[in-house]
Amino acid sequence: NYMTDEELIEMGNDSEVILGSRAFSRTVDKLVDSTMQNFLNSTTDQSEKREQYYRHYRALVDIVATLKQHVAVRDEIHAKTKENEE
């Protein structure tokens, strides 16, 4: 499913807005802290729970990384466009 440069730029813009949102940052930080606290408070014999906490943490990290990647792709497109105009 190919996306045009315009769509990628729009996705990057949207992602930057989300990443710049205090509400989003606070929510993600709170979820990460809570998940890590639950993981650290679990015992080694609670392997299923620990695995669940780890997967939850990884999902949060992956969401933020994906949004940052969208911004990076947008910036790359802008840089390439500017380079071609010079």
Side-chain angles (χ1 to χ4, degrees):
N1 195 359
Y2 177 77
M3 294 182 75
T4 66
D5 282 356
E6 290 78 21
E7 291 170 322
L8 292 170
I9 289 168
E10 185 176 343
M11 187 179 292
N13 290 341
D14 291 345
S15 295
E16 185 172 57
V17 169
I18 293 168
L19 288 168
S21 163
R22 284 184 54 205
F24 177 78
S25 294
R26 282 187 295 201
T27 301
V28 169
D29 289 346
K30 186 170 176 46
L31 288 169
V32 167
D33 288 346
S34 171
T35 302
M36 289 308 295
Q37 200 61 37
N38 287 335
F39 180 84
L40 294 172
N41 289 333
S42 64
T43 59
T44 53
D45 64 331
Q46 294 177 302
S47 60
E48 194 171 308
K49 277 282 190 203
R50 292 171 68 86
E51 183 65 28
Q52 179 184 358
Y53 296 137
Y54 178 75
R55 284 193 308 268
H56 188 209
Y57 168 78
R58 284 298 320 155
L60 292 166
V61 169
D62 289 347
I63 289 167
V64 173
T66 299
L67 292 169
K68 288 180 178 179
Q69 179 63 29
H70 292 167
V71 174
V73 167
R74 180 210 56 195
D75 292 348
E76 219 174 275
I77 292 168
H78 283 318
K80 193 183 301 182
T81 302
K82 185 177 181 184
E83 196 176 280
N84 289 339
E85 290 174 354
E86 294 176 350

